[in-house]
Amino acid sequence: VDCAGSERREDTTQHDAQSRKDAAEINSTIFALKECFRVMRSSKGQQPPYRDSLLTRVLSDSFASDQALIVAIGTVSPSATDTEHSIGTLRALQQLQGTQMIFDEREDVVKPKQIEIHPRTWSELEVRQWVEVAVGGRAKPHASSLTKGTDGKNLVRWPLQRFIQFCGDEELGTKLYEDLRVKIRAAG
């Protein structure tokens, strides 16, 4: 028996009168099927309401026989837009089975992206702190020789020659200049 399709009222608003009538009939048949399963699972000795729909009348022998095997298969969608339909399908299958859906709410944990502050926004103190740790701390002795007012806006304008002059060493000045350029690129 295939009871496929979406027969929810929200999904059938664009259907014509005949389609809505068919959807209502499918829904009542599915309800009757669920009722038969519910009554069969209960221990009150009630008679399942086989006569409520044509489908349950046809399946009545299968419900009553110990030899019969009834299988319910649901199809769910991997698409996020169909999540509500997929959960509805799983709930309907669980009602047929007589279980309750238990799930954990989980959130995607995304590590916050490390935001690099652009060197041009550094204060005079932040420039001094950077010089002290840049190039593995090799430029630390030169941090005290920074002129007053040298903030990030001034520092990013320094040409390579100014770094070499500042450090008094071509190799160290070049590495300090390159380290600043890496920081600028990382900040975008």
Side-chain angles (χ1 to χ4, degrees), residues 17-182:
Q18 183 59 43
S19 296
R20 285 194 294 273
K21 183 179 176 187
D22 293 343
E25 192 174 318
I26 290 170
N27 284 337
S28 66
T29 300
I30 292 171
F31 179 76
L33 186 62
K34 288 178 188 177
E35 279 300 298
C36 286
F37 275 101
R38 188 187 61 76
V39 170
M40 287 173 45
R41 281 191 315 272
S42 73
S43 58
K44 296 178 182 169
Q46 295 175 309
Q47 178 69 22
Y50 299 128
R51 295 178 184 226
D52 287 359
S53 84
L54 181 60
L55 174 63
T56 52
R57 273 184 261 154
V58 169
L59 294 176
S60 63
D61 290 338
S62 299
F63 285 125
S65 173
D66 291 335
Q67 304 287 320
L69 178 65
I70 299 173
V71 178
I73 299 172
T75 305
V76 295
S77 172
S79 173
T81 58
D82 294 324
T83 301
E84 193 175 334
H85 293 282
S86 294
I87 290 173
T89 299
L90 293 173
R91 283 194 176 120
L93 288 172
Q94 285 190 316
Q95 286 174 346
L96 293 176
Q97 184 182 354
T99 60
Q100 287 241 295
M101 190 179 316
I102 298 171
F103 60 92
D104 295 332
E105 280 193 35
R106 296 181 182 197
E107 294 181 27
D108 288 340
V109 179
V110 178
K111 291 182 181 178
K113 188 177 180 181
Q114 185 76 16
I115 299 173
E116 286 286 330
I117 298 172
H118 199 285
R120 76 172 158 257
T121 63
W122 290 348
S123 67
E124 190 175 333
L125 176 65
E126 289 170 318
V127 168
R128 190 172 308 280
Q129 289 171 341
W130 171 75
V131 170
E132 289 175 355
V133 297
V135 196
R138 288 180 42 209
K140 185 175 183 176
H142 304 288
S144 59
S145 63
L146 278 169
T147 56
K148 187 170 174 60
T150 305
D151 60 5
K153 199 181 289 184
N154 293 328
L155 187 70
V156 297
R157 292 187 195 138
W158 281 14
L160 173 61
Q161 282 306 114
R162 179 68 178 97
F163 280 93
I164 293 171
Q165 180 187 9
F166 171 70
C167 293
D169 178 355
E170 186 172 344
E171 180 190 352
L172 183 58
T174 302
K175 287 188 178 190
L176 193 60
Y177 174 82
E178 289 170 354
D179 191 55
L180 180 65
R181 297 297 166 233
V182 168

